[in-house]
Amino acid sequence: SANMSSRAIIGRGLRETGAALKHASGLEVFTRHRPKMAFLNQKPFETNDTFIAPTASVIGNVTNWDESSVWYNAVVRADSGFPITIGFLSNVQEGAVVTTLSSAKDALDSDPLKNNAASTHTNATGDGVVVAKGEVGKVLETGFPPVTHIGHYCSVGSGSVLISCRVDDFVDVGDKCTILEGAWVESHVILEPGSVVPPYTRIPSGGRWGGNPIKFIEELGDGAKDGIKKKAEGRGVMAKEHAVEFLPVGSSYLHLEDLEREGKASIQG
């Protein structure tokens, strides 16, 4: 650990030295971050009123429905061969991570060719094995594929992590919640900040839940249920306000033009 600590200190020192030299030379750094990225010939789908923040990352087979939004530094990553869906007027807030498993946890155990000494086949990539015209090793214990589905009018709080789970319509996921594979959160549910939903857990409709592991707190009244929708609609209005500030092709060139007008040299970061 002392060796790792030394490497970390030296690495930080080198990075700070490099930054100081760039600053001393008068160079300004601009970035060309790509909020949307295709992966293995699958690219994100979005409607014309979807907002994806310029520092967000939406990768692979992701569907963003009308007026949905993915906020700053959030990551929606569908690069494992299974899709992610974000519903109408739903939002993934700052720093949240939404992704999918590459295969079920027990995919290797369910592979009928695993114990065949004559075979070099492995299912570690999650590609699955075709047996009797059916694929094995690409489903969760529930029998469903490890996709991630976020319904309509849902809010996924800042710093939350969702992995191969299903979140139905009208759900408010608090900040820094974790929803693990195979979990199912039904409609009209509020998850308190910091809640952890264990794998294959079902959260019934109409309640407030919280804790690690998650526990039932109380039934939701009509006012609380209406608040879930109003919160999502409020984020939708905010997303429109942010969207008008950014062009579809990005705005890094505007920063570059400002630097050129100021007569400063620049490099791409």
Side-chain angles (χ1 to χ4, degrees):
S1 61
N3 189 27
M4 292 179 62
S5 178
S6 299
R7 287 204 300 265
I9 292 172
I10 294 171
R12 180 178 177 182
L14 290 173
R15 288 193 299 271
E16 290 180 350
T17 301
L21 289 173
K22 288 180 181 179
H23 180 74
S25 68
L27 290 177
E28 295 280 347
V29 178
F30 68 96
T31 65
R32 294 190 184 275
H33 174 75
R34 290 186 294 164
K36 294 167 288 185
M37 189 180 84
F39 186 82
L40 297 179
N41 296 322
Q42 292 183 314
K43 62 181 181 179
F45 169 82
E46 60 175 319
T47 62
N48 57 5
D49 52 5
T50 296
F51 171 65
I52 297 176
T55 57
S57 297
V58 180
I59 301 165
N61 189 7
V62 179
T63 299
N64 300 273
W65 288 116
D66 304 74
E67 300 186 58
S68 61
S69 55
V70 180
W71 290 81
Y72 303 93
N73 295 328
V75 176
V76 181
R77 181 168 57 85
D79 57 356
S80 66
F82 299 101
I84 295 173
T85 302
I86 301 173
F88 172 75
L89 259 176
S90 291
N91 58 84
V92 178
Q93 297 173 21
E94 293 82 354
V97 176
V98 180
T99 187
T100 59
L101 295 176
S102 58
S103 62
K105 276 187 174 181
D106 58 352
L108 285 171
D109 294 331
S110 66
D111 186 342
L113 300 183
K114 177 188 174 185
N115 297 320
N116 186 348
S119 174
T120 59
H121 173 83
T122 174
N123 191 29
T125 61
D127 291 336
V129 185
V130 177
V131 178
K133 298 183 179 179
E135 285 187 329
V136 178
K138 293 184 69 174
V139 297
L140 299 169
E141 291 177 13
T142 56
F144 293 99
V147 304
T148 298
H149 172 85
I150 299 172
H152 308 310
Y153 294 98
C154 292
S155 297
V156 178
S158 302
S160 293
V161 177
L162 278 64
I163 304 174
S164 293
C165 58
R166 180 178 180 87
V167 177
D168 283 346
D169 303 342
F170 301 102
V171 173
D172 183 3
V173 179
D175 295 345
K176 297 185 178 179
C177 287
T178 301
I179 307 178
L180 296 175
E181 69 275 5
W184 176 16
V185 181
E186 295 187 359
S187 61
H188 295 102
V189 166
I190 295 178
L191 302 184
E192 290 293 301
S195 300
V196 176
V197 183
Y200 304 104
T201 300
R202 173 175 168 262
I203 305 298
S205 176
R208 184 187 303 274
W209 295 70
N212 178 16
I214 200 160
K215 295 181 180 178
F216 176 75
I217 298 175
E218 63 180 3
E219 293 286 345
L220 294 183
D222 292 339
K225 291 180 180 179
D226 291 341
I228 296 173
K229 182 177 180 181
K230 289 179 180 178
K231 181 176 181 178
E233 290 174 337
R235 271 282 173 166
V237 172
M238 191 187 305
K240 291 178 181 178
E241 294 171 349
H242 281 250
V244 298
E245 298 295 329
F246 299 101
L247 299 175
V249 295
S251 57
S252 58
Y253 77 94
L254 296 175
H255 184 201
L256 183 58
E257 290 176 352
D258 289 339
L259 296 176
E260 291 174 347
R261 279 194 295 269
E262 295 171 5
K264 295 182 179 179
S266 61
I267 60 172
Q268 179 174 332

